[in-house]
Amino acid sequence: MSGNTVLVTGGSSGIGFEFASQLLKLGNTVIITGRDQARLDTTKKKLPTVHTFQSDAGDPKAIAALYAAVVKQFPKLNVLINNAGFMRKINLHAAGNELEDLNSEIETNLSGPIWMVQQFLSHLKTQESAAIINVSSGLAFVPLPISPIYCAAKAGIHSYTLSLRAQLKGQSIRAGSAVDRNSAGGYIRSGRFDRFKGDASR
């Protein structure tokens, strides 16, 4: 749990911030990403030794650019934590649901981690010991009807991680998922439900 170089997507708040904070205390080099530069700057003030990169975890071009920058600056990167995600309340009966907008949670919460793994996998294979952690949710198993797309995405990331783990058998890379049980029982305070307060869409 120490001496690693760890990349955490969505590390400026919630579970990602807590990952970064605890991993730094254990003596790791920690890199975080986020879309909001102001939040990254605030996190840097709270965690002075963390390294930050502004990047959108739901954008393949941004992921490719992130890979080039991170691997060049941190060639010993050996742990990837796919944490970035967001959760919305969606009424499937509502008129005006844009088809492309409905997919935005899939892009960030499911496609994003898949793209990140595919982009960083070849580099992780070069490390003596490496790990991939995809943050799932209790809602992958017990869906919350008011957030149907988020729950579907988390179910998808759980299934994908099981397949990833099987395909990495015998490799130097371990893969697994961390379950955000705040949404199912209250073990991890993620802040994801805070988006619902006074906001009908997020």
Side-chain angles (χ1 to χ4, degrees):
M1 294 296 291
S2 63
N4 300 291
T5 301
V6 186
L7 173 60
V8 183
T9 64
S12 63
S13 63
I15 294 173
F17 177 86
E18 195 61 30
F19 267 129
S21 177
Q22 297 301 323
L23 287 167
L24 285 170
K25 291 176 183 178
L26 290 171
N28 298 284
T29 298
V30 179
I31 309 144
I32 65 169
T33 72
R35 290 185 297 180
D36 189 327
Q37 186 61 52
R39 284 191 176 186
L40 290 172
D41 293 341
T42 299
T43 301
K44 180 71 174 177
K45 291 177 181 178
K46 295 177 181 177
L47 305 174
T49 57
V50 79
H51 303 273
T52 65
F53 286 85
Q54 185 177 20
S55 183
D56 184 349
D59 180 349
K61 292 182 179 179
I63 289 171
L66 175 69
Y67 171 78
V70 169
V71 169
K72 181 178 180 180
Q73 191 171 340
F74 301 95
K76 293 184 178 181
L77 175 74
N78 68 322
V79 179
L80 170 63
I81 300 179
N82 285 308
N83 165 76
F86 70 97
M87 180 180 186
R88 298 184 300 172
K89 181 168 61 177
I90 296 176
N91 181 356
L92 298 175
H93 294 285
N97 281 331
E98 297 291 336
L99 297 184
E100 291 183 1
D101 180 62
L102 281 173
N103 240 19
S104 58
E105 282 164 286
I106 299 291
E107 290 175 354
T108 299
N109 299 346
L110 177 57
S111 297
I114 293 173
W115 292 330
M116 285 288 292
V117 170
Q118 199 64 35
Q119 183 71 76
F120 282 85
L121 189 58
S122 59
H123 175 79
L124 294 174
K125 285 182 178 180
T126 67
Q127 305 301 314
E128 183 177 346
S129 178
I132 298 169
I133 299 172
N134 295 322
V135 176
S136 181
S137 170
L139 297 181
F141 311 99
V142 184
L144 183 68
I146 63 172
S147 296
I149 312 302
Y150 175 86
C151 297
K154 289 302 184 180
I157 201 63
H158 172 70
S159 177
Y160 167 76
T161 303
L162 293 178
S163 297
L164 175 65
R165 181 188 300 165
Q167 291 201 19
L168 289 175
K169 188 176 181 180
Q171 302 283 327
S172 61
I173 308 174
R174 291 175 293 173
S177 60
V179 177
D180 167 9
R181 294 193 178 182
N182 177 68
S183 46
Y187 294 120
I188 299 176
R189 173 66 179 171
S190 71
R192 282 193 168 91
F193 282 119
D194 293 345
R195 296 177 182 273
F196 292 165
K197 297 175 181 177
D199 187 336
S201 63
R202 294 194 176 194

